[in-house]
mmCIF file of all heavy atoms in Angstrom:
data_model
loop_
_atom_site.group_PDB
_atom_site.id
_atom_site.type_symbol
_atom_site.label_atom_id
_atom_site.label_comp_id
_atom_site.label_asym_id
_atom_site.label_seq_id
_atom_site.Cartn_x
_atom_site.Cartn_y
_atom_site.Cartn_z
ATOM 1 N N TRP A 77 -56.690 -72.559 -153.603
ATOM 2 C CA TRP A 77 -57.953 -71.889 -153.348
ATOM 3 C C TRP A 77 -58.250 -70.806 -154.387
ATOM 4 O O TRP A 77 -59.382 -70.629 -154.819
ATOM 5 C CB TRP A 77 -57.937 -71.271 -151.952
ATOM 6 C CG TRP A 77 -58.121 -72.283 -150.861
ATOM 7 C CD1 TRP A 77 -58.208 -73.637 -151.006
ATOM 8 C CD2 TRP A 77 -58.213 -72.030 -149.455
ATOM 9 N NE1 TRP A 77 -58.356 -74.249 -149.782
ATOM 10 C CE2 TRP A 77 -58.368 -73.294 -148.813
ATOM 11 C CE3 TRP A 77 -58.177 -70.883 -148.688
ATOM 12 C CZ2 TRP A 77 -58.488 -73.410 -147.435
ATOM 13 C CZ3 TRP A 77 -58.300 -70.995 -147.311
ATOM 14 C CH2 TRP A 77 -58.454 -72.248 -146.693
ATOM 15 N N ALA A 78 -57.229 -70.057 -154.783
ATOM 16 C CA ALA A 78 -57.447 -68.961 -155.723
ATOM 17 C C ALA A 78 -57.942 -69.460 -157.072
ATOM 18 O O ALA A 78 -58.656 -68.747 -157.786
ATOM 19 C CB ALA A 78 -56.158 -68.153 -155.890
ATOM 20 N N PHE A 81 -61.914 -71.352 -155.939
ATOM 21 C CA PHE A 81 -63.002 -70.567 -155.370
ATOM 22 C C PHE A 81 -63.008 -69.155 -155.954
ATOM 23 O O PHE A 81 -61.965 -68.621 -156.337
ATOM 24 C CB PHE A 81 -62.872 -70.487 -153.843
ATOM 25 C CG PHE A 81 -62.940 -71.831 -153.170
ATOM 26 C CD1 PHE A 81 -61.785 -72.465 -152.748
ATOM 27 C CD2 PHE A 81 -64.154 -72.467 -152.979
ATOM 28 C CE1 PHE A 81 -61.839 -73.696 -152.132
ATOM 29 C CE2 PHE A 81 -64.213 -73.705 -152.361
ATOM 30 C CZ PHE A 81 -63.053 -74.325 -151.944
ATOM 31 N N GLY A 82 -64.193 -68.575 -155.962
ATOM 32 C CA GLY A 82 -64.345 -67.229 -156.500
ATOM 33 C C GLY A 82 -64.150 -66.134 -155.479
ATOM 34 O O GLY A 82 -64.430 -64.970 -155.764
ATOM 35 N N VAL A 83 -63.699 -66.487 -154.284
ATOM 36 C CA VAL A 83 -63.435 -65.503 -153.240
ATOM 37 C C VAL A 83 -61.992 -65.671 -152.774
ATOM 38 O O VAL A 83 -61.336 -66.673 -153.070
ATOM 39 C CB VAL A 83 -64.405 -65.683 -152.042
ATOM 40 C CG1 VAL A 83 -65.832 -65.386 -152.461
ATOM 41 C CG2 VAL A 83 -64.307 -67.091 -151.470
ATOM 42 N N SER A 84 -61.512 -64.687 -152.052
ATOM 43 C CA SER A 84 -60.130 -64.718 -151.589
ATOM 44 C C SER A 84 -59.961 -65.729 -150.457
ATOM 45 O O SER A 84 -60.919 -66.079 -149.769
ATOM 46 C CB SER A 84 -59.719 -63.323 -151.109
ATOM 47 O OG SER A 84 -60.480 -62.960 -149.978
ATOM 48 N N PRO A 85 -58.724 -66.207 -150.239
ATOM 49 C CA PRO A 85 -58.485 -67.126 -149.123
ATOM 50 C C PRO A 85 -58.868 -66.525 -147.774
ATOM 51 O O PRO A 85 -59.337 -67.250 -146.884
ATOM 52 C CB PRO A 85 -56.977 -67.397 -149.205
ATOM 53 C CG PRO A 85 -56.634 -67.177 -150.646
ATOM 54 C CD PRO A 85 -57.533 -66.060 -151.093
ATOM 55 N N ASP A 86 -58.670 -65.214 -147.592
ATOM 56 C CA ASP A 86 -59.058 -64.582 -146.329
ATOM 57 C C ASP A 86 -60.560 -64.691 -146.098
ATOM 58 O O ASP A 86 -61.015 -64.891 -144.967
ATOM 59 C CB ASP A 86 -58.637 -63.110 -146.321
ATOM 60 C CG ASP A 86 -57.123 -62.939 -146.286
ATOM 61 O OD1 ASP A 86 -56.445 -63.893 -145.858
ATOM 62 O OD2 ASP A 86 -56.636 -61.877 -146.690
ATOM 63 N N THR A 87 -61.338 -64.566 -147.174
ATOM 64 C CA THR A 87 -62.788 -64.683 -147.044
ATOM 65 C C THR A 87 -63.183 -66.101 -146.648
ATOM 66 O O THR A 87 -64.059 -66.304 -145.795
ATOM 67 C CB THR A 87 -63.476 -64.300 -148.357
ATOM 68 O OG1 THR A 87 -63.113 -62.953 -148.703
ATOM 69 C CG2 THR A 87 -64.990 -64.393 -148.229
ATOM 70 N N LEU A 88 -62.539 -67.097 -147.231
ATOM 71 C CA LEU A 88 -62.833 -68.487 -146.883
ATOM 72 C C LEU A 88 -62.495 -68.767 -145.422
ATOM 73 O O LEU A 88 -63.258 -69.436 -144.708
ATOM 74 C CB LEU A 88 -62.042 -69.433 -147.791
ATOM 75 C CG LEU A 88 -62.555 -69.588 -149.227
ATOM 76 C CD1 LEU A 88 -61.565 -70.408 -150.040
ATOM 77 C CD2 LEU A 88 -63.921 -70.244 -149.248
ATOM 78 N N LEU A 89 -61.359 -68.250 -144.974
ATOM 79 C CA LEU A 89 -60.983 -68.459 -143.570
ATOM 80 C C LEU A 89 -61.963 -67.757 -142.639
ATOM 81 O O LEU A 89 -62.294 -68.285 -141.572
ATOM 82 C CB LEU A 89 -59.564 -67.932 -143.332
ATOM 83 C CG LEU A 89 -58.441 -68.705 -144.028
ATOM 84 C CD1 LEU A 89 -57.107 -68.014 -143.805
ATOM 85 C CD2 LEU A 89 -58.377 -70.140 -143.529
ATOM 86 N N ARG A 90 -62.437 -66.585 -143.033
ATOM 87 C CA ARG A 90 -63.418 -65.884 -142.202
ATOM 88 C C ARG A 90 -64.727 -66.655 -142.142
ATOM 89 O O ARG A 90 -65.361 -66.757 -141.085
ATOM 90 C CB ARG A 90 -63.657 -64.481 -142.755
ATOM 91 C CG ARG A 90 -64.584 -63.647 -141.867
ATOM 92 C CD ARG A 90 -64.685 -62.199 -142.333
ATOM 93 N NE ARG A 90 -65.387 -62.085 -143.596
ATOM 94 C CZ ARG A 90 -64.822 -61.807 -144.764
ATOM 95 N NH1 ARG A 90 -63.506 -61.602 -144.813
ATOM 96 N NH2 ARG A 90 -65.528 -61.705 -145.863
ATOM 97 N N TRP A 91 -65.154 -67.216 -143.271
ATOM 98 C CA TRP A 91 -66.374 -68.036 -143.277
ATOM 99 C C TRP A 91 -66.218 -69.237 -142.360
ATOM 100 O O TRP A 91 -67.141 -69.623 -141.642
ATOM 101 C CB TRP A 91 -66.697 -68.487 -144.693
ATOM 102 C CG TRP A 91 -67.179 -67.380 -145.592
ATOM 103 C CD1 TRP A 91 -67.478 -66.105 -145.222
ATOM 104 C CD2 TRP A 91 -67.414 -67.457 -146.993
ATOM 105 N NE1 TRP A 91 -67.888 -65.380 -146.318
ATOM 106 C CE2 TRP A 91 -67.861 -66.183 -147.407
ATOM 107 C CE3 TRP A 91 -67.286 -68.471 -147.932
ATOM 108 C CZ2 TRP A 91 -68.187 -65.908 -148.739
ATOM 109 C CZ3 TRP A 91 -67.601 -68.204 -149.258
ATOM 110 C CH2 TRP A 91 -68.051 -66.932 -149.657
#
Side-chain angles (χ1 to χ4, degrees):
W77 284 4
F81 299 101
V83 295
S84 65
D86 292 338
T87 301
L88 285 173
L89 292 175
R90 185 173 69 253
W91 289 352

